[in-house]
């Protein structure tokens, strides 16, 4: 699971690209409706318990481009446009229309475009004019990079009275000049992706089994979103946002994609979370306190992974086991027992060829322009590599076409239809796992293992780090589905109380009920902000301090 901030205006553009993900480079800007008509997919739908505060829409309703433009582009009610039209025809005043379409304060528009971006835009328009094409026509990346380099060199010399010391200094200068100083965050994109073996089995199994796998994926996404709503979703009120208060829930749109940019099976869901939440006490619409959301993202990701395994085990009898990674720096990944690892390699080959071509284009860029590409230019080079390595035949569009292609590719790897059928049978009928004895001793050992693993990466941690590790340990123990959440909670509580040292001083003041969140916590501390360490870390630090003070050689 990953998290990305969306900015007002450009955030909507990004979401549109997500919806048109696989074909945007060929078809240009598409509406949500036209994309899903061509792809034959179910369109995006509204999700989140915060939808209870959006009158006129319900969780599960199909989203439209108009609604997304209103919410993610301007911070207005998703039905703002049609409400404005209806009220205007009824003779409503401007204040009445505003009241009916606002969700709190609209997103601010910051006009702080740098002189660098203005000059680059002017020269791009002049270039198009000299070619006799519209001034806003897309300029090839080579010309864009050349003009950006020329303008940046002129400004660098003007500002520093010298030439850049090297190519990286110039690239950093360009990146700084290209960045808008102030942006309004309109939302957050959460991406939920299962391990590769899940997508492989989903792509090859019969439609009935594939549908159950997809339902399990959606159920796991819902479980992860519920975890975020319960533990990591707040807003801030009071002077300088000093109070962190409860909200009704998130308002979001979920889009499910079936393949990767390379055309390989890749069942995954983008959840666009609006930066608008409604306070539980007085119903005001405010922005999300993203401090906690960013901290909790790994724990939410592991919640999704555990939930997916739990749903697939209970509905299809699938079993997962660790599969060693070829990269020693990465942790082993739990894949479905019985799914052939060669399929993962086959359906990663296109991505590998894209990466090879991207590296070649990056080297050519550096040679031609005398500097490395900026992050924005790297994205453009990656898109160019995707296009150049694409097969001559157009990528499949409908699910039937996709499944036909994936089946043909799998027969090459597994030796025919019989190999596919045998693999699916092995995955659906694995040998039963040995269940561990879940008693207090197991909980204590799991808590000790959680702390030992966390302290390998950090000297200080928070509950979010412990939750993520606890999810991994509980998941690997093949515990009964109905005990997962209870065991994770017990392991984390034991890890903090018996195997960690609390660094955060307790607050001696007891706040009255109006200044408490659900669960009794004060509104003043940030949720999950308590810091912990271990006695082993403290002892190691003491040894270092003692050694540093020695003068005996």
């Amino acid at each position: 699971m990953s998290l990305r901030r969306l900015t007002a205006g450009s955030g909507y553009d990004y979401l549109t690209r997500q919806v048109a993900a696989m074909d945007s480079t060929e078809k240009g800007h598409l509406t949500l409706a036209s994309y899903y008509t061509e792809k034959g997919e179910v369109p995006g739908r509204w999700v989140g318990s915060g939808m209870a505060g959006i009158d006129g829409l319900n969780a599960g309703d199909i989203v439209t481009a108009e609604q997304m433009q209103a919410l993610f582009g301007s911070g207005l009610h998703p039905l703002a446009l049609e409400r404005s039209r209806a009220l205007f025809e009824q003779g409503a005043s401007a204040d009445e229309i505003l009241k009916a379409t606002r969700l709190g304060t609209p997103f601010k528009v910051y006009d702080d475009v740098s002189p660098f971006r203005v000059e680059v835009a002017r020269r791009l328009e002049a270039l198009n004019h000299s070619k006799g094409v519209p001034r806003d026509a897309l300029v090839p990346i080579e010309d864009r990079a050349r003009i950006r380099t020329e303008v940046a060199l002129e400004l660098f010399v003007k500002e520093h009275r010298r030439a850049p010391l090297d190519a990286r200094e110039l690239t950093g200068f360009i990146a700084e000049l290209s960045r808008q100083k102030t942006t309004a965050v309109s939302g957050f994109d959460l991406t939920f992706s299962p391990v590769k073996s899940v997508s492989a089995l989903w792509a090859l199994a019969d439609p009935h089994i594939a549908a159950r796998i997809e339902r399990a994926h959606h159920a796991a996404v819902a479980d992860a979103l519920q975890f975020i709503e319960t533990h990591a979703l707040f807003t801030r009120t009071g002077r300088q946002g000093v109070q962190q208060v409860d909200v009704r829930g998130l308002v979001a749109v979920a889009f499910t994609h079936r393949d990767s940019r390379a055309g390989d099976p890749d069942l995954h869901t983008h959840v666009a979370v609006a930066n608008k939440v409604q306070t539980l006490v007085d119903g005001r619409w405010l922005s999300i306190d993203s401090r906690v959301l960013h901290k909790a993202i790994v724990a939410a990701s592991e919640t999704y992974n555990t939930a997916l395994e739990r749903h697939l085990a209970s509905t299809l009898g699938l079993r997962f086991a660790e599969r060693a990674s070829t990269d020693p720096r990465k942790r082993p990944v739990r894949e479905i027992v019985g799914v052939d690892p060669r399929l993962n390699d086959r359906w990663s080959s296109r991505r590998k060829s894209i990466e090879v071509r991207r590296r070649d284009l990056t080297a050519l860029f550096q040679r031609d322009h005398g500097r490395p590409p900026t992050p924005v230019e790297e994205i453009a080079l990656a898109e160019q590599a995707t296009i150049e390595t694409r097969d001559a035949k157009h990528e499949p569009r409908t699910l039937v076409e996709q499944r036909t292609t994936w089946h043909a590719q799998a027969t090459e790897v597994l030796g025919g239809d019989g190999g596919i059928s045998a693999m699916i049978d092995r995955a659906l009928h694995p040998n039963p796992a040995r269940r561990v004895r879940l008693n207090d001793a197991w909980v204590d050992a799991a808590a000790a293992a959680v702390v030992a693993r966390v302290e390998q990466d950090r000297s200080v941690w928070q509950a979010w780090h412990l939750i993520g590790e606890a999810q991994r340990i509980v998941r690997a123990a093949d515990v009964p589905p109905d005990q997962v959440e209870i065991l994770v909670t017990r392991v984390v509580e034991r890890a903090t109380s018996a195997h960690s040292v609390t660094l955060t001083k307790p607050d001696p003041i007891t706040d009255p009920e109006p200044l408490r969140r659900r669960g009794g916590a004060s509104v003043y501390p940030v949720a999950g902000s308590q810091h912990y360490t271990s006695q082993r870390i403290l002892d190691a630090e003491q040894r270092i301090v003692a050694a540093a003070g020695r003068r005996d050689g």
Side-chain angles (χ1 to χ4, degrees), residues 23 76 129 136 188 191 203 218 241 305 314 330 386 401 407 409 492 497 501 527:
D23 298 286
L76 301 175
H129 179 73
D136 58 350
F188 306 87
T191 305
H218 292 312
N305 293 333
S314 60
K330 295 182 179 179
T386 302
E401 291 173 326
H407 186 90
Q409 293 170 346
V492 172
S497 62
V501 177

Side-chain angles (χ1 to χ4, degrees), residues 490-510:
R490 288 183 62 192
V491 169
V492 172
E493 289 177 348
R494 184 67 176 170
T496 56
S497 62
H499 298 279
S500 299
V501 177
T502 303
L503 297 177
T504 306
K505 294 181 179 180
D507 190 347
I509 299 176
T510 302

Side-chain angles (χ1 to χ4, degrees), residues 143-196:
D143 292 330
R144 278 183 284 152
R146 175 178 53 79
I147 290 175
R148 285 162 61 85
T149 302
E150 292 172 354
V151 175
L153 275 171
E154 294 171 7
L155 292 177
F156 189 96
V157 172
K158 182 178 179 180
E159 180 176 333
H160 298 282
R161 299 179 183 275
R162 63 172 176 84
L165 295 175
D166 52 30
R168 290 201 173 274
E169 185 177 32
L170 179 60
T171 299
F173 186 67
I174 293 175
E176 181 181 354
L177 293 176
S178 303
R179 192 178 302 119
Q180 188 170 338
K181 303 302 180 184
T182 310
T183 57
V185 176
S186 64
F188 306 87
D189 174 47
L190 308 176
T191 305
F192 297 89
S193 299
V195 292
K196 290 182 180 180

Side-chain angles (χ1 to χ4, degrees), residues 21 101 134 158 161 178 207 252-253 282 317 338 361 396 452 458 537:
T101 57
K158 182 178 179 180
R161 299 179 183 275
S178 303
V253 183
D282 55 17
L361 290 173
R458 60 190 76 245
I537 295 291

